[in-house]
Amino acid sequence: MAIKKTLIGAVPSVLDDKVVVWNLTMKYEEGTEGQADYYTNDKPVTVYATEKNPDGSTTTNFTPKAEADWTKSELEALCPTAKWDEVFASQYDSVITNPPKEPVPDNSYVIPS
């Protein structure tokens, strides 16, 4: 089954009638809900229009514009999905495909005399 990604949260921060910060949340799902193969995880990110880098340079992540001018695909494109895809695949593998084995207590053990 394929990984399903759904943008479930988009909170804009506005300055001078233009969005300058987005708080976005993408929901990842794989498997069949209610079944043993189902796993879900939400991935949040805060994206600023511009960011100062440690070297003093500036990175532009997006051009500020009015809330109503944004499309869903533009918001999804701001999410670091390539990174999230890798993280989710690893999480799915460790939780569903290859979960860690847990020791089983033996409550019937008798202490030797």
Side-chain angles (χ1 to χ4, degrees):
M1 182 167 259
I3 294 172
K4 180 180 175 186
K5 297 179 263 190
T6 308
L7 186 66
I8 61 168
V11 179
S13 293
V14 179
L15 180 66
D16 297 327
D17 298 323
K18 294 182 180 178
V19 177
V20 294
V21 181
W22 278 107
N23 288 299
L24 304 168
T25 304
M26 183 82 68
K27 181 176 187 164
Y28 275 66
E29 299 175 273
E30 187 167 357
T32 304
E33 192 167 357
Q35 301 297 314
D37 70 338
Y38 182 72
Y39 182 71
T40 183
N41 188 265
D42 293 349
K43 308 282 186 206
V45 66
T46 299
V47 183
Y48 294 85
T50 57
E51 296 178 278
K52 284 274 188 189
N53 298 314
D55 66 3
S57 65
T58 302
T59 297
T60 301
N61 296 313
F62 63 86
T63 302
K65 59 184 177 180
E67 288 179 46
D69 293 341
W70 287 86
T71 65
K72 183 177 178 182
S73 62
E74 288 174 321
L75 296 175
E76 291 171 339
L78 293 176
C79 295
T81 54
K83 177 182 173 185
W84 287 348
D85 290 353
E86 289 180 28
V87 171
F88 184 79
S90 175
Q91 290 171 327
Y92 188 86
D93 182 59
S94 66
V95 173
I96 302 297
T97 309
N98 297 302
K101 293 184 180 183
E102 297 292 329
V104 179
D106 181 1
N107 294 323
S108 66
Y109 179 77
V110 177
I111 300 172
S113 45

